[in-house]
Structures are given as structure tokens and as C-alpha cells.
Amino acid sequence: MKTLIRALPKAELHLHIEGTLEPKLMFRLAEKNSVNIPYDTVEEVERAYQFTSLQSFLDIYYKGAHVLITEEDFFDLTWAYLLKCKAQHIVHTEIMFDPQTHTQRGITFQTVVAGITRALEAGKEELRISSFLIMSFLRHLSQEDAFTTLAEALPFKEQILAIGLDSSELGNPPSKFEEVFKAAKQHGFKLVAHAGEEGDSSYIWEAIRLLNVDRIDHGIRCDEDRTLLDYLVNRQIPLTVCPLSNVSLHTVKDLAHHNILKLLNRGLLVTVNSDDPAYFGGYLNENLEALSEGLDMQASELRHLVKNSFKASFLKEEEKETFYQKIDTIYKALLPSESITSPGIYPNS
Ligand code: HPA
Ligand code: ZN
């Protein structure tokens, strides 16, 4: 399975660029920029990264982001992730960034976007990795703040494809951002939102009905509501699931109790993603390997999940088709005895 996981071309659709800040880079930037961080050694960092909930993670994650000051810092952060993509054979990525985490501390919107997009452009040229950028609103802040951030993003519309919603979910339901999502849609942005990570299935309904999202980030609590499950199957609304994140933040007891393969086999358009890999113990391939070990994922399920990562992306249909074919060719070459008629992409093939 490890060979197959590595060999298949993959897309990643749920990745916070601030969540790829590895301790080594955090230490280097802290020193360069004279920013205080509450750790001196990697061991101290590892001890601090024992989370008990989403909020316990966010508190540490926002502190880590304080070391990012210059455009070069955002470039270095993004470039390091793209090199990881290359090593893991991720050929397309749709990355999120949280501008408010930075503008609140006096870093300009332009600095953040310029550093990230310069790395993404270099990634296209030098590494052949395609990418889109998703700007997320912090949901613990007000809708008014989100409107200010949307206005700041408008001059960068060429660089930003979609709008998202992240941070502390409980008590900050999608309904709080109905108006700003409506405005974002009118400006032509694609829409995604975190929902059903810690929040219950009503948050997922709200993201669909009130925010009109194209995709749900996480969404694993959909299994509380059969009507919602049927709806997600019928409409093929994608869920970008992050298994190692869910275990780290105790939204799922352990991988053996994760519902991702049940959702997949029920016909939902689920994908696997790493969320904040520097904090949750692994990038995309480690998430897939963990599913193979913890849930006894089969090769045909892996193929289905990897195809879904393209199906749920914002790529054009013809680009998706090219990747489906590449996946099938590599799958057949590595597993010649496996039937390719096993579920490929629901509801076809
Ligand atoms: N949930 C909410 N907000 C986040 C996350 C997450 O998993 N990662 C980074 N910000
Ligand atoms: Zn996330």
C-alpha cells in the first residue's frame, strides 16, 4: 500500500498554509525576526502539541504564526510545503490562508498574498504543481471584520479563487456569516466552509443552505443525520476529511473509529487531506498510510479516495479526466490482478 500511496498522483483540498509551519522553520524565523516563542527545543514543541480540543490547538497555532513577518517568510513557508508535495506526488493543491491572523498584528494583506502567490507561481514553473488559493475568514471574529477582509481581497481577485471559513466552530455557526458569503458569491468566488468538525450536523446544513458552499471542510458529523447523508450523496457535495487532525483534536477516538470509509462506501464524495500537517503528525501520504493501517483500507478504496480528490477540486472537467486516467494506469501497472471495475467514481464506473 505504501508504494501505491506514493505512486498515485494526488490532490490536496484542505490545507492551512500556516499549519505547515514546521518547528525548524518556526525557530529560524523567530530568531531572524526577534519574535518570542514559548519553546526552545523540538522536544518542548512536541510536548506542547498534545491537544485536547480544536481550541487548544488554535491557541498554539495562532502563536506559531506570529513568527511570519516578511513576504519572504510567507514565500519560504509555502515553498517548503510545495517541496513536500513534490516528494509525496501531490500534483494539485488548493491551499487556505487566514489573512486576519496576520493583518491583526500589523502585517499587510499584500505581504501575505504576495509571498504565498510567488511561491505558488514558482511551484507551477519549477515543480509542475498546480494550485489555487482559498482565503478563509476567522469565524471567532465578527462578520463585519470578514467584510473588511473581503474588501481587502478584491484587488487580489486574480490570485484568490475561493472563500472559506475556519477557526473556533462551536458557538460560531455558519449563519453568522450569511451576508458576507452572499457578497463573496456575487464577486464570483467559489465557497467552502469548515462545518461538522466539532459542531453538530446542523452546522453542515447551515453551510449548505445559508452559505451555499461548493464543499464542506471536515463534515464528519454528517453521520448523525440520515437525511443529510442522503442529501450529500444525491448532490455529491464534497467533504474534505482530515483523519490525523480528527484524532489529534479528539473529535474521533482513534483511526479505527473513523467514519471516512463508511461514508465513502455509502456514496459520499469524501477526500483525504492533512489540514495542519506540522501540528497533527503527518502530511497527505501519512494520512493515507494511517487509514491503511488503522482502518484496513483496501487498494480499491484508496483509488476511489484519490480520484475523489480530483473530482472534488476546482480543476476543469478535462483536467480531472486526465488525472483519472493517470490514476487508473498506475493502479493497473502496480496491481495487475485487481479488477478496475471496482468502484471508481460514484455514481459512474
Ligand atoms: N478547524 C478550524 N480552524 C482551523 C483548522 C481546523 O481544523 N485548522 C486551522 N484552522
Ligand atoms: Zn481545517
Side-chain angles (χ1 to χ4, degrees), residues 9-13 90-93 272-273 284 306 309-310 313 315:
K10 296 166 290 285
E12 177 147 65
L13 308 180
I90 296 167
V91 296
H92 175 69
T93 179
V272 178
N273 307 270
L284 181 52
V306 171
S309 74
F310 292 98
S313 76
L315 287 167

Side-chain angles (χ1 to χ4, degrees), residues 244-283:
L244 287 178
S245 163
N246 297 147
V247 173
S248 269
L249 302 186
H250 300 272
T251 45
V252 171
K253 190 169 143 208
D254 56 36
L255 279 170
H257 288 85
H258 205 291
N259 61 4
I260 183 165
L261 296 185
K262 278 195 198 125
L263 299 175
L264 178 76
N265 293 316
R266 203 184 194 280
L268 279 84
L269 209 182
V270 290
T271 67
V272 178
N273 307 270
S274 68
D275 207 4
D276 302 282
Y279 291 87
F280 300 145
Y283 287 76

Side-chain angles (χ1 to χ4, degrees), residues 12 14-26 29 49 57 61 64-65 67-68 73-85 90 93-98 116 274-284:
E12 177 147 65
H14 183 161
L15 182 283
H16 303 265
I17 199 63
E18 294 91 349
T20 67
L21 179 62
E22 291 288 345
K24 230 173 122 185
L25 181 58
M26 182 166 58
L29 296 180
Y49 287 8
F57 153 71
Y61 164 81
V67 303
L68 298 160
D73 300 344
F74 288 93
F75 176 90
D76 288 351
L77 176 73
T78 310
W79 186 247
Y81 167 65
L82 290 169
L83 290 178
K84 204 60 166 178
C85 288
I90 296 167
T93 179
E94 300 185 0
I95 73 171
M96 273 177 260
F97 75 113
D98 292 334
I116 296 172
S274 68
D275 207 4
D276 302 282
Y279 291 87
F280 300 145
Y283 287 76
L284 181 52

